[in-house]
Amino acid sequence: MFLSASLSVDPSQMTKIQPIPPTKVFKKLLFILSSGNISEKEEVETLTALSVLQQLNMVCRSLGISNMVRLSKDDIDFYLDEEGKPDDLKDTLDKFKYEVDEIESEVFKTLDLVLEHSDKEFSYLIEIFIRRIHKVGEPPIQIKINGVMNEFQSKPHQSDKDMEEKLKPIFDTNEKYQSFVKAKQLRFDQFISSLEVAIRKAIRIDHIKVESNAKIVRPKERIKKEIPSAQKQAVEPVFYGYPGWGNAFFYAWMWSSLCHTHDIQVNNATLVDDNGANIMSVGDEGFNAGESNTMNVDQPFEPPQASDAVYYDNNEYASDIKNAGLNEEGSDSSDETRNAFSDFSDSSDSSSDSGDSGSSCSSCSSCGGGD
């Protein structure tokens, strides 16, 4: 199990809504005759790359986040930490400001930041993806946070049996398991809340939508020594294979089989495949993991008998779900890749908060938020 949260942020910026010129001849003619009124629309943010990074740096500094893993502009890596360097956030942003001129800063298409942070209970991977041009009503800033539990950090070459022995006390009884999961979810959500507050203080926003839940990896086969190789287009950041995260994430690949062996009632959780794509979600009722092969990694996947299950497509078990006569109802994060967040377009619904909160900094050097 690991914890996952997403934040969709709509900053209070001046935006331009403009028609998208079509490519086909007939539609081009209609586009010209209608002065662009008969066309899909797109929203263009007036924010610049430097201003966004400046504000996000303020957010990170307020939470003590100082480790940069990756920074890319328009899908080209500007910085990728392959050595696990500590406290490299400020140096990376200083270098970015020095090397990216004003024109480049204003006309960027996308920015992608990945940061890491840890506290007593969790190690966090935080991916922030910004689209300057996006669908109308779609928030330009999407943040995905993964949290893995520090107490189960594995040692190099530790076997699955060793890790299972370390995990087993959690699964002694269903009550003990539920209590453990609730406590971890609460602690994770506290961090997410602090991140939301920091964003509201540093950036003027119109809306922000927060979602958080527990996720369980359901591997196709038992993992004995190390997790599968990095997935460059993984849905969740923790599957990408950043330095040091293989050992931190190893325990999560044992979780499913232990749920099955110990007849755990799995509820309020989402199962994901080897790439982090959503398979299915269950609510309060859930299902008994020991009564089917849903969580049994030694057998082919089969959907459980769960009245509150929601199934997703675009995952490794989509054909199994379809063959079982179940409809895939979901199309959110299971359709994402690291660089595609189009499924958040409804994030200004009733679950979003609105309001002017805080102000953005306009005079700090080196993206330093006042340093």
Side-chain angles (χ1 to χ4, degrees), residues 168-290:
K168 272 184 180 179
I170 299 169
F171 299 83
D172 282 345
T173 65
N174 198 52
E175 291 75 16
K176 191 172 183 178
Y177 175 86
Q178 300 296 340
S179 177
F180 178 87
V181 171
K182 286 179 181 178
K184 292 298 181 182
Q185 182 77 64
L186 176 62
R187 179 65 188 87
F188 178 75
D189 288 346
Q190 288 172 347
F191 174 76
I192 300 304
S193 294
S194 67
L195 178 60
E196 180 185 359
V197 170
I199 292 171
R200 290 182 178 277
K201 287 182 178 179
I203 306 172
R204 290 185 179 274
I205 60 172
D206 289 330
H207 303 283
I208 185 167
K209 178 179 179 180
V210 181
E211 295 181 350
S212 173
N213 67 342
K215 295 200 169 185
I216 301 174
V217 183
R218 202 297 189 178
K220 277 204 165 183
E221 58 185 21
R222 187 174 294 275
I223 306 301
K224 296 185 178 181
K225 291 185 178 180
E226 58 185 25
I227 63 176
S229 58
Q231 302 297 320
K232 300 303 182 183
Q233 293 294 322
V235 174
E236 300 278 353
V238 75
F239 287 82
Y240 187 82
Y242 293 112
W245 283 86
N247 290 337
F249 195 41
F250 181 65
Y251 79 90
W253 298 74
M254 313 294 113
W255 205 272
S256 178
S257 62
L258 286 168
C259 285
H260 173 74
T261 303
H262 293 268
D263 294 317
I264 295 299
Q265 186 73 17
V266 176
N267 55 14
N268 296 315
T270 298
L271 267 61
V272 300
D273 65 17
D274 292 28
N275 299 314
N278 288 352
I279 303 167
M280 58 172 287
S281 296
V282 288
D284 291 336
E285 183 177 339
F287 63 96
N288 186 311

Side-chain angles (χ1 to χ4, degrees), residues 25-183:
V25 176
F26 179 70
K27 288 187 176 181
K28 273 186 179 180
L29 179 60
L30 289 177
F31 179 81
I32 294 170
L33 293 175
S34 66
S35 299
N37 291 326
I38 301 177
S39 174
E40 293 183 13
K41 301 294 192 297
E42 63 185 8
E43 195 167 349
V44 181
E45 301 291 326
T46 59
L47 45 80
T48 68
L50 291 176
S51 66
V52 172
L53 291 177
Q54 177 180 297
Q55 292 172 352
L56 292 175
N57 184 47
M58 293 173 63
V59 173
C60 293
R61 286 183 54 201
S62 69
L63 297 174
I65 300 171
S66 61
N67 287 348
M68 173 75 80
V69 178
R70 182 174 181 266
L71 172 61
S72 68
K73 184 175 84 70
D74 300 335
D75 295 331
I76 298 174
D77 283 344
F78 177 84
Y79 176 76
L80 179 61
D81 183 3
E82 297 179 317
E83 301 174 9
K85 296 178 181 178
D87 301 320
D88 51 357
L89 173 62
K90 186 178 185 303
D91 288 344
T92 303
L93 296 186
D94 284 349
K95 184 179 179 182
F96 185 89
K97 181 178 181 181
Y98 179 77
E99 295 187 8
V100 176
D101 62 34
E102 185 175 346
I103 294 177
E104 285 183 290
S105 178
E106 292 179 353
V107 300
F108 81 97
K109 295 179 181 178
T110 62
L111 282 175
D112 192 4
L113 293 81
V114 180
L115 306 113
E116 58 184 2
H117 181 62
S118 62
D119 55 28
K120 291 182 179 179
E121 293 194 44
F122 289 99
S123 290
Y124 305 95
L125 264 181
I126 305 163
E127 182 171 43
I128 306 171
F129 190 77
I130 303 106
R131 287 186 190 275
R132 191 176 67 87
I133 302 173
H134 52 89
K135 295 178 182 178
V136 176
E138 178 183 57
I141 302 176
Q142 307 292 347
I143 305 174
K144 174 96 54 173
I145 306 99
N146 290 164
V148 300
M149 292 175 271
N150 290 334
E151 62 200 277
F152 303 123
Q153 176 86 227
S154 68
K155 298 178 181 179
H157 309 299
Q158 186 173 20
S159 71
D160 63 326
K161 296 299 181 183
D162 294 335
M163 182 56 71
E164 283 187 2
E165 289 300 318
K166 192 173 183 178
L167 290 166
K168 272 184 180 179
I170 299 169
F171 299 83
D172 282 345
T173 65
N174 198 52
E175 291 75 16
K176 191 172 183 178
Y177 175 86
Q178 300 296 340
S179 177
F180 178 87
V181 171
K182 286 179 181 178

